[in-house]
Amino acid sequence: MLAVLVFGTLTSFVPNKQNFKGHEFPKLEYDFNALEPYIDAQTMELHYTKHHQGYYNNFLKAVDGTKLEETPLENIFSSISKESETIRNNGGGYYNHNLFWENMTPSKQQIPGNLQKAIEKDFGSVDAFKEEFSTAAKSRFGSGWAWLAVDEKGKLFVTSTPNQDNPLMDLADERGTPLLGLDVWEHAYYLKYQNRRAEYVDNFWNIVNWDVVNKRLQQANTRK
Ligand code: MN
């Protein structure tokens, strides 16, 4: 009985293994200047080609020749407390930025009906959700991320994590599947906004890819 319960808990975080082709560096689906004026081209270029690429390279080096080479990141994160700081920081940095590029778009979007309903159910309104997420992003001390995530019961929640941690990690305060992430490291905004993190966070709402957030929610709910 215990084994069944433990297994039941773990499977909700296990992605579709058939789709795993090894750890790949994602292509950016838009130009470096596509998110201007909200995120400037120079920041995008440095962020993608130096920071993200650096996390990816260091992660590959750290897992080289180990079974983690063949393990999807989501599975690595579910027992990340057993791995090194190098794998935690660089694996997190690799995954978090994959998600970050995907959850932004230059084409302004409406929130899909399904997603809007889910947000209203768990936060009261879209504005209340945005307020909670923005506050999490603005008040994260030092470097880290703000997240919209969904827990095992399908409930949406806002959380934030330090450094390159994320809600998939077994050591996160609140665990779930990330749907939307915002990078609040200074490297994400300092060239354009300097110390004005709040302005960067408020502008983020102009470039959110709600279709991707919605798709991620559906995938997370299907995996249950
Ligand atoms: Mn970053």
Side-chain angles (χ1 to χ4, degrees):
M1 183 61 184
L2 184 62
V4 171
L5 283 174
V6 170
F7 185 70
T9 307
L10 291 175
T11 47
S12 57
F13 292 107
V14 174
N16 186 349
K17 270 197 167 183
Q18 282 103 352
N19 294 336
F20 184 68
K21 302 186 203 78
H23 300 293
E24 295 175 330
F25 192 64
K27 192 178 166 295
L28 197 60
E29 298 294 336
Y30 40 80
D31 293 333
F32 292 135
N33 66 2
L35 303 178
E36 289 197 352
Y38 309 114
I39 299 181
D40 60 288
Q42 192 186 9
T43 296
M44 277 302 300
E45 182 168 2
L46 289 168
H47 203 170
Y48 175 73
T49 65
K50 305 293 182 195
H51 294 275
H52 192 195
Q53 184 79 53
Y55 294 123
Y56 174 72
N57 294 349
N58 289 332
F59 172 74
L60 282 195
K61 218 181 293 171
V63 300
D64 186 36
T66 75
K67 67 177 189 328
L68 299 187
E69 260 184 322
E70 307 301 327
T71 310
L73 286 167
E74 288 87 344
N75 299 46
I76 297 176
F77 294 153
S78 66
S79 55
I80 197 71
S81 56
K82 299 191 185 83
E83 306 295 344
S84 66
E85 286 281 303
T86 305
I87 288 173
R88 174 177 168 187
N89 292 334
N90 290 288
Y94 165 36
Y95 175 92
N96 295 348
H97 291 85
N98 291 353
L99 189 138
F100 187 47
W101 310 137
E102 244 185 48
N103 69 212
M104 294 189 290
T105 175
S107 352
K108 201 164 168 73
Q109 291 180 348
Q110 298 290 328
I111 301 183
N114 284 348
L115 178 62
Q116 181 162 342
K117 268 190 214 136
I119 289 174
E120 287 169 353
K121 178 170 165 282
D122 292 325
F123 297 96
S125 69
V126 171
D127 283 347
F129 152 66
K130 286 183 174 177
E131 179 71 29
E132 191 177 335
F133 184 98
S134 296
T135 300
K138 292 170 188 175
S139 59
R140 160 54 52 191
F141 185 76
S143 298
W145 291 75
W147 303 99
L148 169 67
V150 59
D151 72 13
E152 292 180 30
K153 292 179 181 141
K155 189 177 179 349
L156 302 181
F157 63 97
V158 163
T159 188
S160 84
T161 52
N163 306 315
Q164 295 295 355
D165 288 356
N166 66 50
L168 289 167
M169 293 185 174
D170 62 352
L171 34 70
D173 291 339
E174 293 172 277
R175 290 183 67 190
T177 303
L179 306 177
L180 176 68
L182 176 58
D183 188 344
V184 295
W185 282 59
E186 285 186 346
H187 69 227
Y189 63 87
Y190 209 85
L191 290 178
K192 180 178 172 70
Y193 296 94
Q194 292 85 47
N195 61 325
R196 304 187 308 279
R197 184 195 286 186
E199 202 179 317
Y200 161 73
V201 171
D202 292 337
N203 275 339
F204 176 62
W205 299 114
N206 293 298
I207 45 175
V208 170
N209 192 332
W210 294 110
D211 287 340
V212 164
V213 178
N214 189 45
K215 195 183 77 190
R216 266 203 267 274
L217 176 61
Q218 286 170 345
Q219 283 169 349
N221 286 335
T222 309
R223 276 208 294 273
K224 283 194 203 17

